[in-house]
Amino acid sequence: MVPMGNMFLRSEFASTIGSIFFFYTIFERYIPPQLRRNLEKYTQRLIGAVNPYIQIVFHETTGERLERSEVYAAIQNYLSSDSSRQAKRLKADLMRDSKKIVLSMDDYEEITDTYNGAQMSWVASKTVKTEHQPSYYSRGGDGERRYYKLTFHKKHRELVIDSYLNHVVEKGKLIKVENRQRKLYTNNKSDRMFWPRESMWSHVLLDHPASFRTLAMDPAKKKEIVDDLITFSKSKEYYREIGKAWKRGYLLHGPPGTGKSTMIAAMANLLEYDIYDLELTAVKDNTELRKLLIEVSSKSIIVIEDIDCSLDLTGQRKRKKKRGDDDDDDDEEAEEEEKDPKMKEAMKEMQNDKQSKVTLSGLLNFIDGLWSACGDERLLVFTTNHVDDLDPALIRRGRMDKHVELSYCTFEAFKVLAKNYLGLESHHLFETIEQQLNEIEITPADVAESLTPKTAPRDVQACLRNLIEALENAREAARVKAQEQEEKRLLRKEKKKAKLAKEASTSNEEAKREDQQLTAPKETEINGNGKETNNCHN
């Protein structure tokens, strides 16, 4: 049975709440908007004069494009450590490797934080879009705009501004690094329409198992690259002292199948960086390229794979060739192009309409121009199979600071692969394989395929025999290819010789005709006096 006193208090409370809502409805309906705003303004001033507490609001979005605020994200990570102990309503997310659950406070929840003896109150809240606000008012267009509100006593103003907020942001960033899972980004096509808050990048979680421990390459070169990467990641103050943007360029070059993409994944796993795979053919122009750069986060690797094939911009300043050094294949191609120049121009215009308008100059500015300083701790990695085809300005030191050649498989690289795939550190067949690797060019990818077990349980002997057979096949293929190239060279030589003979024959015939014209007998006439005279024609 409920006591009469409690029932009376409950009825009084309900009556009070009802009265408040009644007067608020009257206020909203009959008071003009301008008068309401003035009343609210002066009411806030009156409350602020007597209220000893200060409030700071941190919105989820910032800037003209309403991008996600890094400060908001840092606060969210910071508060997540105390949310599970204080908040009654929580949100749960799966984080790194889908093994760790991170809890954060739900909307309208409040927790208290203590810093140097001062108490701070944090509230997670949100505002809902009204009918008059555009749909992109909130992140994702759901009509909600979230924010955190910090409340503290005014006597702690200096403490909060001078040290507490910096403490929250720095600790929040550290928690983000511990909990985050690396992402693999790619740029969206330029022909799609972007809402003001929509990113130009889309991503998936990066779960590549590559590491420098399993990377098949010379151990000394591997150690050199690892030391360079770690030194770079710890050199923030050094780059600031020398007045240079905190970035570094890597050029990975070598034949296909030598591990260029695998090395990029190993770099990301070593430094715990995100990867931004930039597809230049999907970029509209230089302006869009700069916008993409602005949206790249710190602690990231910007990758352009096969830079020599991405766009027709590498080597734009050295396109003219010396025709005297070309072989007959180039001459035949030139003859085909000259057959229908109108068709050639039409096809070229169609390709230009569809191709990206990114220029070599725009790409160079992207790498180390003024815009490249819009962000810290970034690696730029270019890969190519034909380094000689690249413009020297693109790969000079300062843009591509470190050139790494990934070549054919050596015996040291083979031992790494044998350890990875078969768990072997030595075998009596290793000596045979070493001799063959010193004579035969084969990529680490081909070696790895030969070492991959094809049966269960794995037959180590069979895998090594497969590799030896693959090496013999590679030797035979190289011999056949060399023979074919020699035959082609001889054929080109014969064709060139025949062409020169034909040109010489034509030249001799023309010279002969000229001589005949000069030595031909002149026509004569007998004049009236019985003497011969030359018959001259003007």
Side-chain angles (χ1 to χ4, degrees):
M1 183 175 180
V2 181
M4 294 297 294
N6 289 345
M7 293 180 61
F8 176 76
L9 289 175
R10 290 183 180 181
S11 62
E12 285 292 324
F13 178 76
S15 177
T16 302
I17 294 298
S19 300
I20 291 175
F21 276 104
F22 173 76
F23 285 111
Y24 182 78
T25 304
I26 297 299
F27 179 80
E28 287 283 334
R29 179 172 298 180
Y30 296 106
I31 303 299
Q34 183 63 35
L35 181 58
R36 284 206 309 270
R37 285 193 291 270
N38 290 334
L39 288 175
E40 291 173 358
K41 180 174 66 174
Y42 290 113
T43 301
Q44 291 293 335
R45 289 183 180 179
L46 178 62
I47 294 175
V50 297
N51 184 16
Y53 292 94
I54 298 174
Q55 292 182 345
I56 302 178
V57 176
F58 302 89
H59 289 283
E60 182 183 14
T61 57
T62 183
E64 295 181 357
R65 299 187 72 245
L66 298 179
E67 293 128 344
R68 184 176 175 83
S69 170
E70 292 187 9
V71 175
Y72 178 91
I75 293 172
Q76 187 178 43
N77 295 325
Y78 175 81
L79 297 178
S80 65
S81 60
D82 292 330
S83 298
S84 58
R85 294 191 296 269
Q86 296 188 37
K88 295 182 179 179
R89 291 184 298 112
L90 300 167
K91 294 184 292 186
D93 292 310
L94 279 175
M95 298 303 292
R96 190 171 186 169
D97 301 327
S98 299
K99 296 178 181 179
K100 183 178 181 181
I101 296 179
V102 176
L103 301 176
S104 60
M105 54 196 296
D106 202 358
D107 296 331
Y108 306 115
E109 279 293 300
E110 180 178 1
I111 63 173
T112 302
D113 185 31
T114 302
Y115 180 75
N116 291 348
Q119 284 194 342
M120 318 292 177
S121 174
W122 288 96
V123 177
S125 190
K126 64 182 179 181
T127 57
V128 181
K129 177 183 74 70
T130 64
E131 296 179 357
H132 303 290
Q133 290 169 326
S135 59
Y136 54 81
Y137 174 75
S138 64
R139 189 173 185 84
D142 57 2
E144 297 177 348
R145 191 174 186 181
R146 290 174 173 79
Y147 60 90
Y148 284 109
K149 183 167 61 176
L150 170 64
T151 304
F152 55 92
H153 199 280
K154 61 182 180 181
K155 65 182 179 181
H156 302 310
R157 179 193 290 267
E158 293 184 1
L159 176 67
V160 171
I161 295 176
D162 293 341
S163 62
Y164 177 65
L165 292 180
N166 291 332
H167 163 74
V168 170
V169 172
E170 292 299 324
K171 188 174 180 180
K173 289 181 177 180
L174 291 176
I175 294 173
K176 177 183 177 181
V177 172
E178 294 174 0
N179 292 335
R180 77 184 182 112
Q181 183 168 358
R182 288 176 297 282
K183 298 181 179 65
L184 173 61
Y185 291 85
T186 185
N187 51 306
N188 298 315
K189 289 186 178 181
S190 59
D191 56 357
R192 63 176 291 183
M193 179 178 179
F194 293 98
W195 292 103
R197 298 183 58 190
E198 186 178 4
S199 175
M200 300 176 71
W201 297 91
S202 56
H203 73 271
V204 295
L205 296 180
L206 177 63
D207 191 22
H208 200 293
S211 67
F212 279 94
R213 181 185 63 81
T214 60
L215 197 62
M217 64 183 305
D218 182 76
K221 182 184 290 187
K222 188 188 303 186
K223 183 179 185 302
E224 178 186 344
I225 296 172
V226 171
D227 291 343
D228 185 82
L229 290 170
I230 294 177
T231 302
F232 166 78
S233 66
K234 297 179 180 180
S235 301
K236 180 178 181 179
E237 295 302 324
Y238 173 76
Y239 275 84
R240 187 173 295 276
E241 288 177 5
I242 64 176
K244 186 178 179 181
W246 191 13
K247 64 179 183 59
R248 188 159 178 80
Y250 272 75
L251 176 67
L252 309 183
H253 60 94
T258 51
K260 294 184 286 293
S261 298
T262 304
M263 174 171 282
I264 294 171
M267 288 178 171
N269 289 333
L270 174 69
L271 300 177
E272 296 190 341
Y273 285 5
D274 293 328
I275 296 179
Y276 287 79
D277 186 11
L278 178 60
E279 178 56 57
L280 283 179
T281 56
V283 182
K284 182 180 178 181
D285 50 28
N286 295 336
T287 301
E288 186 171 302
L289 187 63
R290 289 193 291 268
K291 291 180 180 178
L292 286 165
L293 180 62
I294 292 173
E295 291 196 8
V296 173
S297 63
S298 299
K299 292 183 177 293
S300 60
I301 303 176
I302 304 174
V303 179
I304 302 181
E305 294 199 83
D306 298 320
I307 182 65
D308 53 313
C309 304
S310 296
L311 286 177
D312 186 21
L313 50 78
T314 54
Q316 289 176 347
R317 294 181 291 200
K318 57 176 185 178
R319 288 300 184 189
K320 295 183 179 180
K321 295 182 179 180
K322 295 180 180 179
R323 297 299 298 174
D325 297 334
D326 293 344
D327 55 26
D328 286 301
D329 292 339
D330 295 331
D331 294 335
E332 292 174 1
E333 183 179 350
E335 291 175 2
E336 290 295 327
E337 290 178 352
E338 291 174 358
K339 288 181 180 179
D340 195 350
K342 292 183 178 179
M343 179 62 70
K344 177 186 172 183
E345 290 297 326
M347 292 296 294
K348 187 175 181 180
E349 290 180 3
M350 291 176 61
Q351 291 177 356
N352 290 337
D353 291 339
K354 295 180 180 180
Q355 285 181 351
S356 169
K357 299 300 188 297
V358 174
T359 64
L360 178 61
S361 174
L363 185 59
L364 297 180
N365 289 328
F366 174 86
I367 297 172
D368 69 345
L370 293 175
W371 292 92
S372 65
C374 300
D376 285 331
E377 202 169 353
R378 290 172 176 168
L379 293 176
L380 287 94
V381 180
F382 289 175
T383 70
T384 180
N385 298 332
H386 308 284
V387 66
D388 294 334
D389 292 344
L390 300 180
D391 192 294
L394 188 64
I395 60 176
R396 68 163 174 79
R397 306 294 178 176
R399 291 191 174 113
M400 295 293 106
D401 304 284
K402 192 169 185 62
H403 294 197
V404 180
E405 181 181 6
L406 299 175
S407 188
Y408 294 102
C409 188
T410 63
F411 182 65
E412 293 296 329
F414 157 74
K415 290 195 293 185
V416 175
L417 293 173
K419 176 69 174 177
N420 295 341
Y421 285 78
L422 302 176
L424 289 178
E425 294 185 357
S426 63
H427 195 274
H428 69 274
L429 291 176
F430 277 19
E431 184 177 353
T432 302
I433 294 173
E434 182 179 9
Q435 293 176 355
Q436 291 181 315
L437 287 175
N438 291 333
E439 301 171 357
I440 304 169
E441 292 183 341
I442 187 171
T443 65
D446 291 330
V447 173
E449 175 58 28
S450 299
L451 295 180
T452 302
K454 307 299 189 298
T455 60
R458 62 187 178 186
D459 188 342
V460 172
Q461 188 85 3
C463 292
L464 294 177
R465 291 291 180 188
N466 289 339
L467 176 57
I468 293 174
E469 182 180 353
L471 288 167
E472 291 295 338
N473 293 336
R475 186 200 303 273
E476 179 63 19
R479 186 191 66 79
V480 172
K481 183 178 180 181
Q483 183 177 353
E484 291 177 350
Q485 289 178 344
E486 178 64 17
E487 291 176 354
K488 289 181 179 179
R489 187 186 68 81
L490 293 175
L491 181 60
R492 288 197 299 268
K493 187 176 180 180
E494 290 295 328
K495 290 174 63 177
K496 190 170 185 179
K497 184 177 180 181
K499 182 179 179 181
L500 292 175
K502 183 179 178 181
E503 291 176 351
S505 176
T506 303
S507 178
N508 290 336
E509 290 179 0
E510 292 178 352
K512 187 175 181 180
R513 285 196 298 268
E514 291 178 359
D515 291 341
Q516 290 176 350
Q517 291 176 359
L518 292 174
T519 59
K522 299 179 181 179
E523 296 180 2
T524 59
E525 291 181 354
I526 304 298
N527 58 17
N529 299 324
K531 296 182 180 180
E532 294 183 355
T533 59
N534 291 331
N535 188 14
C536 298
H537 302 279
N538 294 329

